[in-house]
Amino acid sequence: DVKVTQSSRYLVKRTGEKVFLECVQDMDHENMFWYRQDPGLGLRLIYFSYDVKMKEKGDIPEGYSVSREKKERFSLILESASTNQTSMYLCASSSLGGRGLFFGSGTQLSVL
Amino acid sequence: QKEVEQNSGPLSVPEGAIASLNCTYSDRGSQSFFWYRQYSGKSPELIMSIYSNGDKEDGRFTAQLNKASQYVSLLIRDSQPSDSATYLCAVSGLEAGYSTLTFGKGTMLLVSP
């Protein structure tokens, strides 16, 4: 089975802090994605990567950056956390050609 | 902007009935279509994929695709209370050799015993 592991299930941070969310997949997938999910707004794509050291902006990249130094690991960085970044963050991966995404269990981030 | 539309629900059906979930999409170039199930507080789980017009069956689930009408549906036969969840429709195009998914906001399904 595909396993996508997110480092934290719940996270509480202060406004202005730099926040790192880590994601690791064990299926040698080329593509990795970061989404956020908010009630009433659904899933929104923040960033994705289709290769090591490559990154592409999604629909809502403002306030975020990413890093992909190794194929299996994709990190989401909140440069200066703000309260409007309180959300459920979901990491996902897919193989080349993208026959469906496989999601991690999610990180519920609260910024106070 | 690619759009995927779903009725937010809730769709309420009695146990044993057929639940019908619908989705429309805006991008005529879309090539792959997926249904995800998401239980409350959990992450989405892929349950069906469909790539060509017609029906695709997997157990109690049937996905239906009509590209001319830009419409995809999911039928759940013999609905069970454990099917109560939010169902997300997702649509993919192929851009520059890789694909991204656009998700609908989901339809909540409630199956009553």
Side-chain angles (χ1 to χ4, degrees):
Chain A
D1 283 350
V2 175
K3 190 165 184 183
V4 180
T5 302
Q6 294 184 233
S7 53
S8 304
R9 184 69 180 94
Y10 299 96
L11 211 53
V12 180
K13 296 293 181 179
R14 296 287 182 188
T15 301
E17 279 193 75
K18 191 169 186 175
V19 181
F20 294 85
L21 301 182
E22 306 287 344
C23 176
V24 176
Q25 51 95 2
D26 67 357
M27 286 303 293
D28 201 35
H29 282 171
E30 288 79 10
N31 304 327
M32 295 189 75
F33 305 81
W34 276 106
Y35 287 86
R36 62 178 283 179
Q37 187 174 32
D38 302 286
L41 297 178
L43 279 160
R44 293 180 291 168
L45 181 63
I46 305 171
Y47 266 98
F48 64 99
S49 168
Y50 55 91
D51 201 354
V52 176
K53 297 193 184 293
M54 304 302 290
K55 59 183 179 183
E56 295 286 338
K57 293 180 180 179
D59 300 319
I60 52 163
E62 296 79 17
Y64 303 95
S65 63
V66 291
S67 173
R68 193 166 181 201
E69 296 296 319
K70 293 184 178 181
K71 189 176 184 179
E72 68 271 17
R73 186 179 297 271
F74 192 36
S75 302
L76 180 69
I77 304 154
L78 285 66
E79 298 290 344
S80 177
S82 63
T83 55
N84 63 12
Q85 292 178 311
T86 291
S87 185
M88 171 67 82
Y89 289 87
L90 290 159
C91 176
S93 72
S94 72
S95 59
L96 195 65
R99 296 280 173 161
L101 296 184
F102 296 90
F103 285 89
S105 56
T107 296
Q108 179 63 53
L109 173 66
S110 296
V111 183
L112 306 178
Chain B
Q1 182 88 6
K2 298 173 187 175
E3 293 184 347
V4 177
E5 300 287 342
Q6 296 181 255
N7 188 317
S8 62
L11 173 66
S12 296
V13 301
E15 185 175 357
I18 295 174
S20 177
L21 304 161
N22 305 314
C23 171
T24 59
Y25 59 95
S26 64
D27 183 8
R28 281 198 171 275
S30 300
Q31 300 186 16
S32 304
F33 307 86
F34 305 91
W35 284 99
Y36 286 80
R37 177 177 61 201
Q38 187 173 23
Y39 293 114
S40 180
K42 302 294 185 182
S43 59
E45 172 193 12
L46 179 63
I47 55 172
M48 287 290 286
S49 59
I50 187 166
Y51 308 103
S52 56
N53 280 330
D55 295 0
K56 179 181 177 182
E57 187 175 318
D58 184 1
R60 295 187 296 113
F61 298 99
T62 299
Q64 300 175 316
L65 174 62
N66 183 328
K67 288 186 178 179
S69 300
Q70 295 175 245
Y71 176 90
V72 58
S73 65
L74 179 70
L75 301 178
I76 306 175
R77 290 182 300 280
D78 189 25
S79 294
Q80 300 297 309
S82 58
D83 294 325
S84 297
T86 296
Y87 289 80
L88 305 174
C89 174
V91 174
S92 171
L94 261 178
E95 299 170 0
Y98 50 85
S99 62
T100 61
L101 286 188
T102 301
F103 285 85
K105 293 181 182 178
T107 298
M108 181 182 294
L109 173 66
L110 297 175
V111 182
S112 54

